[in-house]
Amino acid sequence: MFDYHGSPLAILRGRLIALVLVAGWSGLGYFSPVVALMILLTIAGLMPFLIQRSFRFKLHQSSYRGIRFRFSGTLGNAYRVVLVPIAFFLLPGALGVMFGPDSPGDAPDASVASLVVLASLVVAALVPRFHHGLKRYQHDHAAFGTTGSAFDVGVRAFYGIYGRVWALLLLLGISLGGMVAGLAWLAFSVGNAFGDGFIPFMLLVSVLFYGSMLAVMALFAARLQNVVWNGTTIGDLSFRSAIEAMPLARLYLKNALLVVFTLGLYTPFAVVNTMRYRLQSVTLLAPAGLDAFMADARPGEESATGEGAVDLFDIDIAL
């Protein structure tokens, strides 16, 4: 059986690092777009390192029948895979800083706004391809014992998943937007006939919105996990992921409520519970058995060479 051994404290450290980076960019960037761009470039320079450490952490904390997984992706490969997507993601913001208004209160020029929107659309269209490259880097450099993995999933599968999710989000936006617009039109027509019923209605719309978003997130995560793991092999081993969206959505809802009630303190435990549930939805298919992998695991050597390095940067970044 698969198990996840991640420490909530290590995950909390990763979240705090991400929070400090984003807070610095958001806070200082309000006073100076140039400072915001410099902080963003600093985050971009650190991101491949953080992603490589995050992948290493996740796989090292995952095991099957006591044998740990490993991640052999190098930092150089991380920079080659990640820097191009980061450059594209930074493009709309960089265009806004270079050609936008001098002060935050000024309205941007229409041509500049159009250029930023066009760049954003190009980036959005490339997101599935970038995500595919990131997953290929992760699953092409995984190992079980001493046997490396192979990733055989085309980029078209990622575009299929993203296309369905984007269509659902568009339908959700149209539906909820239509409800609010319809209520506003009726209230305007009859002169506030709803009275105090407006606030409960808006609360209902908010609950429907966040509930739907959790369901869409769960659908995306479930579809992505099934595609990625069903296309991953390690030697003669293959995987069968059969995670379903609705149980995952219920887990997301439970975690979200506990995070709110504990003022965020439950977040690391929510991550561990989610990772453990997702791993337990994966089955390892081993036609020839696991004897060879048991013999090749060599836990003593792995502990001496790999585990110390993982403990040195024992973090998990929210990706």
Side-chain angles (χ1 to χ4, degrees), residues 139 142 148-152 228-239:
H139 283 254
S149 63
F151 185 65
D152 187 23
V228 168
W229 279 103
N230 291 342
T232 301
T233 57
I234 300 180
D236 294 332
L237 305 180
S238 59
F239 298 88

Side-chain angles (χ1 to χ4, degrees), residues 146-284:
T146 58
T147 305
S149 63
F151 185 65
D152 187 23
V153 178
V155 68
R156 181 178 297 181
F158 277 68
Y159 272 99
I161 294 172
Y162 271 89
R164 294 184 185 93
V165 169
W166 285 339
L168 285 174
L169 289 175
L170 179 61
L171 180 62
L172 174 63
I174 292 174
S175 301
L176 293 180
M179 290 175 60
V180 174
L183 176 68
W185 180 80
L186 285 175
F188 179 78
S189 301
V190 300
N192 197 25
F194 292 98
D196 295 334
F198 179 76
I199 294 179
F201 178 81
M202 292 306 298
L203 289 176
L204 175 62
V205 171
S206 300
V207 170
L208 290 175
F209 172 77
Y210 287 109
S212 301
M213 289 299 295
L214 284 177
V216 172
M217 289 170 54
L219 176 65
F220 175 78
R223 290 285 180 89
L224 184 66
Q225 172 171 317
N226 290 340
V227 165
V228 168
W229 279 103
N230 291 342
T232 301
T233 57
I234 300 180
D236 294 332
L237 305 180
S238 59
F239 298 88
R240 172 60 61 187
S241 176
I243 191 170
E244 297 180 356
M246 288 311 298
L248 186 59
R250 288 195 291 268
L251 180 60
Y252 281 171
L253 178 60
K254 170 192 168 185
N255 288 339
L257 293 175
L258 288 174
V259 167
V260 171
F261 291 149
T262 61
L263 301 179
L265 295 178
Y266 187 75
T267 299
F269 301 93
V271 174
V272 170
N273 291 339
T274 302
M275 286 296 297
R276 183 173 289 121
Y277 172 74
R278 293 176 63 173
L279 273 178
Q280 290 173 351
S281 301
V282 179
T283 303
L284 182 65

